[in-house]
Amino acid sequence: MQTAGYGALGLALALWLAGDALWVLDADARGPFPGPADWFWLGGYPAACTGLALLLRARVRGSLGPTMWLDGAIAATAVAALIAAGSPAGGAGALAYPLGDVLLL
């Protein structure tokens, strides 16, 4: 289980590296949100969340009860609502990265 978790975190780092490299090497990647580099950066968030969840699962070994899963679902719904609230005015780009960071935290 830990190997898969570390593999997912490695994938997240590789995606962030690819986004950074694309941003530095390709001037067209610096366009409006979502640009080509943004897809790599934003793709790193699900991989990082998956890796952290797998490492947590390996560490806790089944002691997460239904209330913990419910708390996680409520937090995920709140983050999704904040992203949706910012998207009509074109603010999704401004909200995506901070909310992704908060979700990882």
Side-chain angles (χ1 to χ4, degrees):
M1 192 67 63
Q2 285 184 337
T3 305
Y6 286 122
L9 288 176
L11 174 64
L13 290 174
L15 287 169
W16 284 326
L17 175 66
D20 286 344
L22 189 60
W23 178 264
V24 168
L25 298 175
D26 186 12
D28 295 331
R30 298 182 188 135
F33 181 81
D38 290 311
W39 291 110
F40 287 105
W41 287 327
L42 291 174
Y45 284 108
C49 286
T50 301
L52 290 175
L54 288 172
L55 290 175
L56 177 68
R57 183 176 173 198
R59 176 70 80 152
V60 173
R61 301 199 194 276
S63 344
L64 291 176
T67 56
M68 293 294 282
W69 288 106
L70 182 62
D71 287 343
I74 291 170
T77 304
V79 169
L82 289 173
I83 290 172
S87 64
L95 284 176
Y97 294 109
L99 290 177
D101 292 338
V102 167
L103 185 62
L104 279 176
L105 183 65

